[in-house]
Amino acid sequence: MTFDSPENTETSSPQSEIDAAATAGPEGTLPPQAEPEPAGEEVIGVRRGMFGISGTGDTSGYGRLVRPVTLPGSTPAPYGGYFDEIVDALRTALAPTGTPFESAIEKIVVFRGELTLHVRREHLPLVAQALRDDAALRFELCLGVNGVHYPHDTGRELHAVYHLMSVTHGRRLRVEVSAPDADPHIPSLYSVYPTTDWHERETYDFFGIVFDGHPSLTRIAMPDDWRGHPQRKDYPLGGIPVEYKGARIPPPDERRAYS
């Protein structure tokens, strides 16, 4: 699963770009989509236009939109529902390990009815095992691993998202881990959740996240000699021509541009 992220390569701060856009338009006003971020949200970049088009004519009619790209900020307790029970139980489960809860958990986010634990990558296997084995938690099943690429989330460009389910208690949980482009390593959870085998391979294939400790981290969809990771936001369109019933359809970067 992927999410929208900014396509521009400017080095100025996101908020300064939003402020500058306030005087760029003919009316000199800031569009509603580009207002300063609400309290509790983190601005990681700016998205221009509807589709992040750059270097070509915009035929969509939305080229003047300027919107901040935000991530939900940390949610203060209480979290509501069974979310507080999960956090309290995990805090108790980590105590005997000698790893403080605050060292393992970077932040806790409740957003759109989901609880997400942002775990520091070096503590991921420990936290996952506590979530699986503790009687008050019992998240026995990992439903999958998703990769996300935020090019302008400096030092946290690559994210891996694990969806966990407790069959025992009928609960769900998201665990999110980040790594920088310069060091795209995250510990594999294969030893805790064997079902992550193919999911981690797919995330590696498409996003380039290296899952340390995986028994066979090879490509799963792209050819072995494929260069790059095609679901990353900085991956060029490129492509391979498609032959279909005598017609040749060129790859996206060779198609005609409209102005």
Side-chain angles (χ1 to χ4, degrees), residues 177-225:
V177 190
S178 64
D181 266 339
D183 182 25
H185 291 262
I186 291 175
S188 171
L189 286 190
Y190 174 80
S191 62
V192 181
Y193 295 109
T195 55
T196 62
D197 185 358
W198 286 14
H199 297 133
E200 289 183 347
R201 285 181 58 193
E202 184 179 43
T203 305
Y204 160 72
D205 194 358
F206 289 144
F207 291 91
I209 297 176
V210 179
F211 293 92
D212 295 329
H214 190 283
S216 180
L217 194 64
T218 57
R219 289 190 181 272
I220 194 170
M222 309 302 292
D224 290 339
D225 59 351

Side-chain angles (χ1 to χ4, degrees), residues 11-78:
T11 57
S12 58
S13 67
Q15 191 59 54
S16 65
E17 293 188 48
I18 297 172
D19 295 339
T23 57
E27 295 85 8
T29 58
L30 197 64
Q33 295 88 342
E35 293 177 354
E37 72 277 14
E41 290 192 347
E42 175 188 358
V43 176
I44 62 170
V46 176
R47 186 175 180 87
R48 299 178 181 276
M50 180 66 76
F51 307 105
I53 297 173
S54 61
T56 184
D58 183 357
T59 61
S60 69
Y62 293 96
R64 299 190 67 85
L65 289 178
V66 180
R67 296 178 295 163
V69 178
T70 63
L71 294 177
S74 181
T75 303

